[in-house]
Every structure is written in C-alpha cells, then in structure tokens.
Amino acid sequence: MAHMYVAFISLFIGGLMGLLQTLVRSGTLVLPFGISYYQLLTVHGVILALVLTTFFIIGFQFALMSKTVGMSDKQRDSAWFGFWIMLFGTVTTAITILLGKANVLYTFYAPLKAYPTFYIGLALVVVGSWIGCFTNFRQLYVWKKKHPGEKSPLLAFMVVINMLLWFIATLGVAATVIIQLIPWSLGMVDTVNVLVSRTLFWYFGHPLVYFWLLPAYMAWYAIIPKIIGGKIFSDSLARLAFVLFLMFSIPVGFHHQLTEPGIDPVWKFIQVVLTFMVIIPSLLTAFSMFATFEVTGRSKGYTGLFGWLKGLPWKDVRFFAPMVGMITFIPAGTGGIINASNQMNQVVHNTIWVTGHFHLTVGTTVILTFFGISYWLIPSLTGRKLTKKINTLGMIQTIVWAFGMSIMSGSMHIAGLLGAPRRSSYSTYGGSEQATEWIGYQIAQAIGGSILFIGIILMVYIFFYMVFAAPKGQEEFPIAEVSEDAEPTPKFLENWKLWIGITVALILFAYTIPFLDIIHHSPPGSPGFDKIIR
Ligand code: HAS
Ligand code: CU
C-alpha cells in the first residue's frame, strides 16, 4: 500500500502538469511566476513515467510474490528499506525540479545539465529499486529450496524475469549518471561525451518500456482469465514470451538513435532487426489473449465466429479497463513497428508523433491495466469491497480516459506527420505557414488533455474511496489456474543460467563493437547547457 500511495499521488501531480502543458502549448495559457514550460514538462515526465510506474510496479510485484511464494519478515524489512531509499531519491529529485534547477526532461539528455541533486536523487531511486530486485530474487530462491523439483508459480517467474530485465538495464543508466553526469554537474569535469551518455541512456531506455509493459502482461496472462471465469491458455507460452522479452529487450536501444550521427549504420541495422525480434512476444501475447477469450466464451455456450465476445464480463471494471488497454495496444504497437522501421523513423523522429505513440502505449495500455489491477488489489489490501458504484464509476473513468486519449494522441500523431516537433513549447515559428497547420491539432490536444484530467480526478477519487471509505469486507485476489488442455511446461523454461547467458551474449554482440567505436572516434565533449529556458 505504501507504494500505491506514492503512485496515486504522483498520478495527480503529474496529471495536473500534463493539463497545464497542453494549455500552454496551444497558446491558451501563459504560466505565472516565471515558471518555465520545460519545468512543468520535466515534472510531468519524471513523476509519471519514472516515479508512478516504478512505485506501482514494485508494489504490485511485492503483492504477487507474497501471494505466490510468500514473504518473510526479513524480506519485508528489506522491501521497506528499498521503498524508503526510493522515496528519499524521488523527493530529492522533485525538489530540484520544482526549484527550476533541472529543466532537462525525463530523458535528461546531455548536454542539457541539471543541478547535481537531480541525478543523485534518480540514482537513489535506482538503488532502492535494486533492493526490490534482490528481495524478489531471494523470495523465489527460498521458495525453490523448500519445493525442490517443482516449477515456480507463473506469476513469481514473471516478476523475477521483469526484475532481472530491470537490473541489467539500469546498469546502463547508473553508469552514465554516476560516471558521467554527476561529476560533470558537480563541476569536477568541464565537458561530457554526449553520444556515450545517450547510448548508455537508451541501453536502459528501451528495456524500461518493457519494465512498464510486463506487469500489465502479468495481469493479462495470469489474472484476467480468472476474472472472466476462464483458465490460462498455456503456461509455457506465457513463460516463453517473458523469456523472449528478457533476451531481446536490451540489445535494441539504437532504434531511439537512428538519426544520431556517429553510430555505424550497420549496427543500427542489426539493432533494428533485433527490435523486430522483440515484437514476437507481443504477438504471442495477442494470440494467447484471443485464445483465452475465445475458449472461455465458448465454454459458456456462446457459438459462432465472434459470438464468444458476448461471453466476456464487459460490465466488470476489473476486466473492462485492461481490455480497453489491450484494444488500444493494437494501434499503439503498430505505431511502434512504424517507429522501428528505419526509413519511416526519419519521418517521425523528434516529432510529436512519438509523444502520441507513448501516450497510447504507456499512457493507455499500461496505465489502464494498472487501474484495472487497482480495482481488486487496493480493496484486497485494505480489507474493503469494490462496490457497485465504484465499479460503474471505474467504467466511466475508463471511457473518459479512452475518449480523451483518442483525441489527444490522435492529434499528436497527425501533427507529427505534418512536422510538428516534440519537446517544444508554444511557438508560431515566426508565423511560418507550416507551423500554422499545427495549431488546430494543438488545440485538439488541449481538449483531449482536459478530458484526460477529468479522468485523473475520477481515478484519484476512486483510489482514496477504496482506501478509506468503501465498506469493509473481503475482495478476492484473482489468480488463474492453467487450463487442463495445456501441455505440461518443459523444464528448460526455468533454466536461468541459460537465459541470462543468452541475454548477456546478445548485449555484448549488439553493443561491444559500436560502443568501442563511439568512444574511439568521439567528437570533443560538450559543456553543459543549464540556462533557464522558457
Ligand atoms: Fe515504443 C519510442 C518502437 C512498444 C514506449 N516508445 C517510444 C517512447 C516511449 C515508448 C516512452 O523503434 C519515447 C521515448 C522518448 O522519449 O524518446 N515501441 C516500439 C516497438 C514496440 C514499442 C517496436 N513503446 C512500446 C511500449 C511502450 C513504448 C510497449 C511503453 C509501455 N518506440 C519504438 C521506437 C521508438 C519508440 C523505434 C523511437 C522513436 C523515435 O524516433 O524517437 C513494440 O514492442 C510493439 C509491439 C506490439 C504489438 C501489439 C500487439 C497487440 C496486443 C494486443 C492484443 C489485443 C487483444 C484484445 C487480445 C505488435 C498484445 C482484442 C480484443 C478485441 C475485442 C479486438
Ligand atoms: Cu524503444
């Protein structure tokens, strides 16, 4: 619950910033008190993309681990320890941004320079999350010792994969922050190697998006089947998808740097191929979800090609919210495939299309699934009931969200294709004709953003209602069983040494030569840019 409080307070703060941004960007609002647009944008990105997600995910995963493999008092203490370090880091970073000393956005791209406490705070968040990782590893290890020869519970397996992915990925961001950015912002060195720092950032930045996605997949694979009255279609397919994510999430960071000079195009090409490999586990997931829905619908007696759709509990928000997330992932994932295609990336890179892409993926698919999880997780943690009223309000919340996001993200996609840049405040660009084409879409973004803010207020209300006001009672913690028709899970799927070995080998293959090349042929380093930009 402690993690959940931080997550939902973050939702409110970050969401408010989002609303203000769309208003500024459409020319509707001028910020008072000398607050900079980029200051808001940094709060928005850091609080939502980094803080909300990390706290929600780690809290949710602790709940899953306790439920499936158990948690000892010692493990609980170390979980608390990690939590406090993360919270301390978050507060440190947040204060730095609020004081206007870190207008560097959530990607903190060098040579934009922040005050040292921004980076130190972020480093502490990462260190705290590592304590979470090792606590989870230990939990599964202890369970395995007690259950020799048994396969681990599916959800515990998934949590451990996600935390392995997170640990390996965060080594990259920790390296750039500790070795490059902190000494540079402290003034110990004058310049920073921009290409090295961006490369280390994206080594982390891409797996980061799967660190957000995999907890949603945990719910899709192992919780939704229970909610809809069905079974898990295939335990081995679910595990295989997660193993593929571990292997292919990391050696693909160059697809964020396709227009970046100084990286050999051959290695960009290789990483694009690997990016297309990481699409496969999502396609497996789509297949598996359709199978679960169809089998469940038919088992309830619905027939015909699509009749089984009627067998799904559309009026249960625990299903409805994640389902809307899944449906959104079809266009959202398609957008990702467009981004990853080298030639098309030249059209969309650094335009607001990309912002549209990630408001569908993380901002809708993932977050609506997290909301869907909250409707049963919060009551079951606080010993309360999910009432009919909250169920209905949750359905309205989901519809408001999907509607607001379609307008906002849709217009971002179109404006991006017309050339509108991302990461930029309101400007008429000297009255240029092309820029006037964007204004209508920017107003549409403000309208969509305002609707989304209503969605945020609804969700924050629902959260606090479920914590403090809902009637006392018992709410189930839904964990599905595997279908009797599924094949038994082969043992090799739990061969950790093998999967970690392949993961490391792929990373070394994809990064060693280009990285040495980048260091070897580096341009001169850059001084920091830290003037307040309005
Ligand atoms: Fe992405 C940029 C490529 C997925 C997030 N992405 C971003 C950024 C973020 C982000 C935050 O290659 C911006 C970073 C920044 O600030 O610069 N992305 C991809 C690809 C995928 C992908 C290939 N992205 C995600 C996910 C994210 C996310 C997931 C967050 C959670 N992305 C890129 C690229 C860029 C990028 C480039 C850089 C662009 C640039 O130039 O800057 C793939 O993983 C997508 C695969 C997904 C699918 C969809 C499968 C569908 C499913 C649903 C089934 C539905 C059912 C319901 C069952 C193929 C599983 C059916 C029911 C009915 C009733 C119909
Ligand atoms: Cu990516």
Side-chain angles (χ1 to χ4, degrees):
M1 269 312 289
H3 289 87
M4 295 297 149
Y5 285 120
V6 181
F8 281 88
I9 293 170
S10 300
L11 176 67
F12 182 74
I13 301 172
L16 182 63
M17 300 302 132
L19 172 70
L20 296 176
Q21 269 152 242
T22 59
L23 296 177
V24 173
R25 211 174 192 283
S26 56
T28 328
L29 177 83
V30 178
L31 290 169
F33 314 122
I35 300 172
S36 142
Y37 172 82
Y38 297 98
Q39 195 176 345
L40 290 190
L41 189 54
T42 307
V43 177
H44 178 74
V46 170
I47 284 286
L48 292 180
L50 306 179
V51 176
L52 180 159
T53 50
T54 310
F55 277 86
F56 187 94
I57 291 166
I58 293 186
F60 174 49
Q61 292 185 157
F62 273 132
L64 295 178
M65 293 301 277
S66 313
K67 210 66 194 175
T68 53
V69 293
M71 185 184 232
S72 70
D73 286 344
K74 243 166 113 188
Q75 290 158 357
R76 188 175 291 271
D77 289 344
S78 81
W80 271 113
F81 185 50
F83 170 82
W84 286 115
I85 294 187
M86 288 197 339
L87 190 64
F88 181 70
T90 301
V91 172
T92 309
T93 298
I95 292 175
T96 317
I97 306 171
L98 291 174
L99 291 175
K101 300 272 186 213
N103 297 344
V104 294
L105 312 191
Y106 88 110
T107 40
F108 49 92
Y109 255 24
L112 292 180
K113 189 163 96 176
Y115 195 71
T117 47
F118 174 85
Y119 305 110
I120 295 171
L122 283 183
L124 287 174
V125 174
V126 169
V127 170
S129 74
W130 284 347
I131 298 175
C133 287
F134 285 98
T135 310
N136 290 151
F137 298 160
R138 173 94 198 149
Q139 283 174 285
L140 184 59
Y141 176 80
V142 171
W143 185 92
K144 284 234 135 210
K145 277 258 128 83
K146 282 195 201 133
H147 301 80
E150 278 180 51
K151 78 171 179 209
S152 56
L154 178 59
L155 281 164
F157 175 87
M158 290 169 154
V159 169
V160 168
I161 292 261
N162 200 29
M163 285 313 232
L164 265 174
L165 183 155
W166 175 250
F167 180 70
I168 299 173
T170 43
L171 290 173
V173 71
T176 175
V177 165
I178 294 168
I179 301 171
Q180 293 189 282
L181 302 179
I182 292 180
W184 174 60
S185 73
L186 284 171
M188 290 156 66
V189 290
D190 294 333
T191 59
V192 63
N193 185 325
V194 170
L195 190 52
V196 167
S197 84
R198 288 186 186 178
T199 304
L200 287 171
F201 181 86
W202 286 118
Y203 163 94
F204 152 80
H206 186 78
L208 168 68
V209 315
Y210 293 127
F211 172 70
W212 301 331
L213 181 69
L214 293 193
Y217 277 12
M218 294 172 199
W220 297 5
Y221 274 111
I223 283 164
I224 298 286
K226 173 82 177 184
I227 290 173
I228 66 174
K231 298 240 164 97
I232 297 171
F233 171 68
S234 160
D235 178 273
S236 12
L237 188 147
R239 286 179 204 247
L240 176 67
F242 271 63
V243 168
L244 291 175
F245 273 118
L246 175 66
M247 297 195 297
F248 292 106
S249 283
I250 304 165
V252 298
F254 284 174
H255 70 227
H256 293 266
Q257 297 176 283
L258 291 174
T259 58
E260 185 104 58
I263 302 174
D264 186 336
V266 171
W267 288 101
K268 287 181 180 171
F269 173 77
I270 290 171
Q271 293 211 8
V272 162
V273 173
L274 291 168
T275 304
F276 276 76
M277 294 294 291
V278 80
I279 294 167
I280 294 172
S282 281
L283 296 175
L284 293 178
T285 305
F287 172 80
S288 184
M289 295 319 295
F290 272 108
T292 306
F293 296 150
E294 178 169 355
V295 170
T296 309
R298 288 191 192 282
S299 74
K300 291 183 184 166
Y302 292 92
T303 52
L305 195 53
F306 292 111
W308 47 269
L309 275 170
K310 290 195 216 115
L312 299 172
W314 292 100
K315 291 200 173 124
D316 183 341
V317 70
R318 299 172 308 158
F319 164 74
F320 183 68
M323 181 58 155
V324 173
M326 282 180 219
I327 295 170
T328 307
F329 204 39
I330 298 173
T334 310
I337 298 174
I338 291 170
N339 297 343
S341 309
N342 184 54
Q343 291 85 335
M344 284 192 273
N345 186 270
Q346 315 299 307
V347 179
V348 298
H349 183 70
N350 273 349
T351 72
I352 199 160
W353 159 287
V354 175
T355 319
H357 163 69
F358 67 71
H359 279 84
L360 288 185
T361 49
V362 64
T364 308
T365 303
V366 168
I367 205 74
L368 280 182
T369 305
F370 287 1
F371 292 166
I373 292 167
S374 308
Y375 295 116
W376 54 264
L377 181 64
I378 306 295
S380 81
L381 287 176
T382 54
R384 293 180 188 269
K385 292 290 288 177
L386 169 63
T387 58
K388 248 197 139 88
K389 198 185 103 195
I390 288 296
N391 188 74
T392 313
L393 202 59
M395 307 263 306
I396 297 171
Q397 199 283 336
T398 311
I399 294 166
V400 168
W401 195 275
F403 182 65
M405 194 58 92
S406 311
I407 298 176
M408 190 179 86
S409 173
S411 47
M412 284 174 165
H413 276 92
I414 302 171
L417 290 180
L418 296 173
R422 65 179 287 205
R423 305 188 181 103
S424 58
S425 184
Y426 176 69
S427 170
T428 54
Y429 295 90
S432 109
E433 201 182 312
Q434 193 183 2
T436 50
E437 282 181 10
W438 307 332
I439 291 178
Y441 296 102
Q442 278 157 5
I443 292 171
Q445 284 161 36
I447 295 170
S450 308
I451 298 171
L452 276 164
F453 190 64
I454 298 173
I456 286 184
I457 294 178
L458 280 176
M459 194 60 218
V460 173
Y461 169 78
I462 292 172
F463 173 77
F464 282 105
Y465 184 88
M466 287 190 301
V467 175
F468 295 112
K472 295 250 182 252
Q474 276 248 313
E475 198 59 57
E476 88 167 311
F477 193 119
I479 295 182
E481 286 164 30
V482 179
S483 154
E484 306 79 35
D485 300 333
E487 298 280 329
T489 305
K491 272 251 166 352
F492 72 85
L493 276 170
E494 242 187 291
N495 190 337
W496 296 105
K497 283 196 191 112
L498 178 66
W499 304 138
I500 297 172
I502 296 178
T503 305
V504 172
L506 276 170
I507 294 171
L508 290 176
F509 163 66
Y511 272 110
T512 311
I513 296 176
F515 198 68
L516 289 176
D517 199 45
I518 288 170
I519 293 176
H520 203 79
H521 299 288
S522 276
S526 172
F529 289 65
D530 55 358
K531 293 272 172 303
I532 299 244
I533 311 161
R534 294 205 190 280

